[in-house]
């Protein structure tokens, strides 16, 4: 399992923006798909956005489509999640994860979210509140 570290969370007002970073500090990750997932208190984890390692194909959940943008910089082993027009319902702990076994990025986002709690790192808290 690739070790990833999330950062960039914080407190922001509704309508504001944040940019999350996911860094792989172990070895080059350009062959891996990377996904952003989130979990709000009392709710199931959601696959927010995933990006392929080969051609940067992307997938977005309906809840963030048009507001969030995922991108990757393989030279920096980093994947970003630019979040605009944030809403209170975006409040959650955000996690990133990598995988090479899924046929599509949509499958990665839809399936990997069910991984057990001990699969995930610390995540980064995003709070959208006035």
């Amino acid at each position: 399992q690739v070790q990833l570290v999330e950062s960039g969370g914080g407190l922001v007002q509704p309508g504001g923006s944040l940019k999350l970073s996911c860094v792989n500090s172990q070895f080059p990750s350009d062959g891996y798909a990377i996904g952003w997932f989130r979990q709000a208190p009392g709710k199931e984890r959601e696959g927010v956005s995933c990006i392929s390692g080969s051609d940067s194909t992307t997938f977005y959940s309906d809840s963030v489509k048009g507001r969030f943008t995922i991108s990757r910089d393989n030279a920096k082993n980093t994947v970003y999640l630019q979040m605009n027009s944030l809403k209170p319902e975006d409040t959650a702990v955000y996690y990133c994860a990598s995988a090479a076994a899924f046929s599509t990025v949509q499958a990665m986002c839809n399936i990997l979210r069910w991984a057990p709690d001990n699969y995930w790192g610390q995540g980064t808290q995003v709070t959208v509140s006035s």
Side-chain angles (χ1 to χ4, degrees), residues 49-52 55-60 69-71 105-106 109:
S49 182
C50 293
I51 185 168
S52 71
D55 58 3
S56 293
T57 300
T58 59
F59 168 81
Y60 297 94
T69 302
I70 191 171
S71 62
V105 287
Q106 181 173 357
C109 266

Side-chain angles (χ1 to χ4, degrees), residues 2 4 19-24 27-36 49-60 69-82 96-100 105 108:
V2 176
L4 304 173
K19 187 174 185 178
L20 306 184
S21 297
C22 171
V23 179
N24 168 21
F27 53 86
S29 59
D30 54 332
Y32 290 84
I34 305 289
W36 282 100
S49 182
C50 293
I51 185 168
S52 71
S54 56
D55 58 3
S56 293
T57 300
T58 59
F59 168 81
Y60 297 94
T69 302
I70 191 171
S71 62
R72 64 189 303 155
D73 184 340
N74 288 334
K76 296 182 179 180
N77 289 340
T78 302
V79 171
Y80 304 99
L81 186 68
Q82 176 67 47
C96 62
S98 68
V105 287
M108 178 182 179

Side-chain angles (χ1 to χ4, degrees), residues 1-23:
Q1 180 180 342
V2 176
Q3 300 297 317
L4 304 173
V5 178
E6 307 94 341
S7 65
L11 173 64
V12 63
Q13 293 186 341
S17 298
L18 281 175
K19 187 174 185 178
L20 306 184
S21 297
C22 171
V23 179

